[in-house]
């Protein structure tokens, strides 16, 4: 049941597709749900929490405890294959591989971003980034050089 | 169980159905379900004071960045600066909630009604002299060139710090830091590209960005001297010694400025931070008054 709850900002994805839903278990009659925030400031967390409680109540589970898990930090690598297909079908280019997390200093990236994305409208790989920031913290803005359509790209993190 | 028809009703129902405080973020307790036990050998008062410093840095810089909303040179940039601010606001919420979880709330709890969450009480009901951010983040934005220089400096410093705090002995602080690192990487790279574009752009953009560098550089003196709290927490394996960040931050900033054909000013001599001691400028009082005005005028409002 918890797996069917969708993301408030990306309604084509379930929280399970997004990798935000980390665990669901029974603890002495209470349904314990663990979720992890995507970005520190993701304003959708409260809605996710409420939607989970609501869905589980509707399914007949009276005692529900939604807990936040901060570590390990969420990564776009946790988005499922099904989630990636649904994103593309919904007009949002799915992320590539997330940068490797190293223990030392983070290298500076001065040039244009090396990210690539395929246009979700026409399928062309010939696309360019307009901005690394878009309508939500998790997306970048791109434009297709072939069909000229702008589109959003879930950026790697 | 009734089927709530709107998102608000669902949210309200899931959180007790008694109305939510109007100005905060009470629908989502940022540390709900997180084990906030303080590991042995760590002084909770010091840990809370440290989380306030880092949380206030993020909150105040967020507020400065959002002043560009409706004013940025282009729509995409407005969105970008607001997104950087949102990430910082999220980090601030987590850090202020961590401070609250160990009982470091200053006088805010006396002023805020009981239903207001700790992090909101800290943000809205402290006076200016209770804030512990550095002077770098509170300085006025200046023009866009100065803003991106300050964002570069602040995010390079914070990224250097948070990469180290991923190893903090406080698991909550370590987790908050680990979440912040990829976010700050985006902010730093974004600011660095603007500094390159403007510094190596037209004579006018070069001149104004250089003026921004010259205005921001003296503020860096504030960042690299440990307070007593930081010294004790560094020894306890919780904090990072700010003096250890100098080389990394200076290298990053120098590299960007040189590539941008800007003159790198002499590195300022580190000074004990007045901001970390609660001494702030009149401009900060004005900024905070605006941030807190509605909440203080209607402290018990719910919706």
């Amino acid at each position: 049941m918890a797996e069917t709850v969708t993301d408030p900002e990306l309604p084509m994805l379930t929280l399970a597709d997004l990798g935000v839903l980390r665990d669901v278990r029974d603890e002495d009659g209470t349904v314990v749900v663990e979720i992890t925030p995507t970005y520190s400031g993701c304003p959708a967390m409260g809605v996710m929490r409420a939607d989970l409680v609501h869905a589980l109540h509707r399914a007949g589970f009276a005692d529900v405890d939604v807990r936040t898990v901060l570590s390990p930090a969420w990564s776009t690598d946790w988005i499922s294959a099904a989630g990636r297909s649904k994103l593309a079908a919904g007009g949002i280019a799915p992320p590539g591989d997330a940068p490797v997390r190293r223990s030392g200093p983070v290298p500076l990236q001065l040039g244009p971003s090396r990210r690539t994305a395929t246009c979700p409208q026409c399928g062309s790989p010939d696309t360019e980034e307009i901005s690394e920031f878009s309508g939500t913290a998790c997306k970048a803005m791109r434009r297709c050089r072939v069909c000229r359509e702008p589109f959003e790209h879930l950026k790697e993190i | 169980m009734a089927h709530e028809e709107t998102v608000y009703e669902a949210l309200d129902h899931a959180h007790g159905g008694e109305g939510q405080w109007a100005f905060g973020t009470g629908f989502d307790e940022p540390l709900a379900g997180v084990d906030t036990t303080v590991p042995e050998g760590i002084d909770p008062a010091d840990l809370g004071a440290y989380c306030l410093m880092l949380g206030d840095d993020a909150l105040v810089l967020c507020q400065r960045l959002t002043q560009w909303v409706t004013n940025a040179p282009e729509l995409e940039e407005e969105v970008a600066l607001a997104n950087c601010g949102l990430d910082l606001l999220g980090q601030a919420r987590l850090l202020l909630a961590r401070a609250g979880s160990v009982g470091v709330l200053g006088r805010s709890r006396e002023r805020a009604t009981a239903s207001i969450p700790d992090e909101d009480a800290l943000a809205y009901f402290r006076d200016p002299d209770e804030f512990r951010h550095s002077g770098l983040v509170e300085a006025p934005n200046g023009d866009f060139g100065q803003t991106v220089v300050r964002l570069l400096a602040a995010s390079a410093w914070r990224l250097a710090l948070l990469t180290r705090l991923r190893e903090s002995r406080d698991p909550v602080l370590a987790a908050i830091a680990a979440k912040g690192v990829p976010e700050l990487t985006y902010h730093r790279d974004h600011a660095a590209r603007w500094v390159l574009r403007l510094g190596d752009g037209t004579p006018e953009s070069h001149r104004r960005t250089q003026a921004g560098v010259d205005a921001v550089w003296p503020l860096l003196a504030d960042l690299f001297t440990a307070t007593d709290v930081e010294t004790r927490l560094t020894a306890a394996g919780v904090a990072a010694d700010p003096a250890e960040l100098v080389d990394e931050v200076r290298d990053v900033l120098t590299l960007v400025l040189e590539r941008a054909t800007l003159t790198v000013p002499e590195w300022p001599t580190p000074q004990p931070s007045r901001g970390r001691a609660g001494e702030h400028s009149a401009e900060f009082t004005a900024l905070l008054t605006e941030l807190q005005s509605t909440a203080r005028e209607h402290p018990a409002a719910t919706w």
Side-chain angles (χ1 to χ4, degrees), chain A residues 40 104-106, chain B residues 50-62 65 84-96 132-134 136-137 150-166 173 176-188 220 223-224 230 240 242 245-246 248-250 252-253 276:
Chain A
S40 299
V106 181
Chain B
Y50 189 54
C51 289
L52 273 193
M53 292 178 200
L54 304 184
D56 288 349
D57 281 339
L59 179 65
V60 174
L61 184 55
C62 165
L65 289 173
C84 295
L86 181 62
D87 288 341
L88 290 167
L89 185 64
Q91 294 173 21
R93 284 191 64 206
L94 289 162
L95 287 159
L96 296 185
R132 292 291 179 268
H133 56 275
S134 84
L136 174 65
V137 296
R150 191 250 299 272
L151 182 61
L152 172 66
S155 46
W157 174 81
R158 194 170 176 85
L159 182 58
L161 176 61
L162 264 53
T163 49
R164 288 163 174 80
L165 293 183
R166 291 180 298 188
L173 182 57
I176 296 169
K179 280 207 78 57
V181 164
E183 297 165 1
L184 290 161
T185 303
Y186 274 106
H187 306 178
R188 188 189 63 175
L220 300 176
L223 295 173
F224 301 105
E230 286 168 294
L245 308 178
V246 174
E248 183 179 333
V249 175
R250 186 169 46 200
V252 167
L253 298 183
R276 300 268 189 247

Side-chain angles (χ1 to χ4, degrees), chain A residues 50-116:
Chain A
D51 287 350
L52 279 164
V53 170
H54 185 51
L56 288 163
H57 280 172
R58 237 182 356 196
F61 299 98
D63 294 319
V64 180
D65 185 6
V66 181
R67 296 181 189 165
T68 304
V69 186
L70 292 177
S71 183
W74 179 79
S75 161
T76 41
D77 287 349
W78 294 356
I79 299 175
S80 67
R84 286 161 197 269
S85 310
K86 291 182 207 170
L87 275 174
I92 298 173
D97 292 339
V100 180
R101 289 175 185 170
R102 275 174 275 220
S103 57
V106 181
L108 191 66
Q109 171 79 47
L110 283 180
S113 97
R114 290 194 209 109
R115 274 190 297 280
T116 57

Side-chain angles (χ1 to χ4, degrees), chain B residues 205-286:
Chain B
S205 72
H206 177 92
R207 182 186 68 76
R208 290 174 64 157
T209 310
Q210 183 67 55
V213 169
D214 296 341
V216 166
W217 238 242
L219 305 172
L220 300 176
D222 213 43
L223 295 173
F224 301 105
T225 307
T227 58
D228 292 344
V229 165
E230 286 168 294
T231 303
R232 289 193 295 271
L233 287 178
T234 302
V238 175
D241 181 357
E244 280 182 18
L245 308 178
V246 174
D247 290 346
E248 183 179 333
V249 175
R250 186 169 46 200
D251 287 352
V252 167
L253 298 183
T254 303
L255 175 71
V256 177
L257 262 55
E258 283 177 350
R259 291 266 194 97
T261 71
L262 293 161
T263 305
V264 185
E266 194 179 328
W267 193 254
T269 308
Q271 306 280 347
S273 168
R274 293 168 60 180
R276 300 268 189 247
E279 291 174 40
H280 303 292
S281 60
E283 288 97 341
F284 172 64
T285 302

Side-chain angles (χ1 to χ4, degrees), chain A residues 90-149:
Chain A
I92 298 173
D97 292 339
V100 180
R101 289 175 185 170
R102 275 174 275 220
S103 57
V106 181
L108 191 66
Q109 171 79 47
L110 283 180
S113 97
R114 290 194 209 109
R115 274 190 297 280
T116 57
T118 302
C119 173
Q121 317 291 343
C122 74
S124 167
D126 187 12
T127 65
E128 62 185 341
E129 190 163 87
I130 302 170
S131 172
E132 277 195 323
F133 299 90
S134 183
T136 63
C138 54
K139 287 176 288 186
M141 276 189 273
R142 293 186 78 89
R143 150 192 323 126
C144 176
R145 292 199 186 93
V146 176
C147 74
R148 315 300 295 169
E149 286 291 326

